[in-house]
Amino acid sequence: MALFKRRTVGKPGEWFYCLRHQTVEEGPECRAADRFGPYATREEAAHAMETARERNLEWETDPRWHDKGKAADGGKGPDESGGPDEGAGR
């Protein structure tokens, strides 16, 4: 018995953007790894790449998610840990 049933025919009104063929499709024609969607309208699916670029830009510039240069120790490297042995033996 299959854990997941493969759906070959989409529901009416489901639109997808195929990354492989760079086309809009009604219903899932290509495999899930090669598509964005579902979208409510053909127009939304047609702008899938633009929407993805906008969302990526929002995520990359969001200060809540942008942790570049920060580490679990507050951004200090191994020589700057401020631990009890700091400066010992120097």
Side-chain angles (χ1 to χ4, degrees):
M1 183 168 118
L3 183 58
F4 296 101
K5 191 174 175 184
R6 184 174 220 190
R7 194 172 74 166
T8 56
V9 179
K11 296 177 187 174
E14 281 187 329
W15 294 92
F16 296 85
Y17 181 80
C18 176
L19 299 166
R20 185 172 186 193
H21 300 112
Q22 298 179 355
T23 58
V24 174
E25 304 172 343
E26 185 173 13
E29 295 177 20
C30 292
R31 65 189 198 113
D34 292 334
R35 67 176 189 253
F36 286 157
Y39 295 95
T41 66
R42 181 179 186 86
E43 185 72 19
E44 282 182 56
H47 294 288
M49 293 301 293
E50 181 180 326
T51 302
R53 274 191 291 277
E54 290 170 359
R55 289 179 179 167
N56 285 345
L57 184 60
E58 285 178 29
W59 180 80
E60 290 169 357
T61 58
D62 187 334
R64 295 175 297 171
W65 297 104
H66 190 63
D67 58 356
K68 186 176 180 181
K70 292 184 182 177
D73 62 355
K76 296 181 181 180
D79 295 333
E80 303 170 324
S81 64
D85 294 331
E86 184 175 346
R90 291 186 193 177

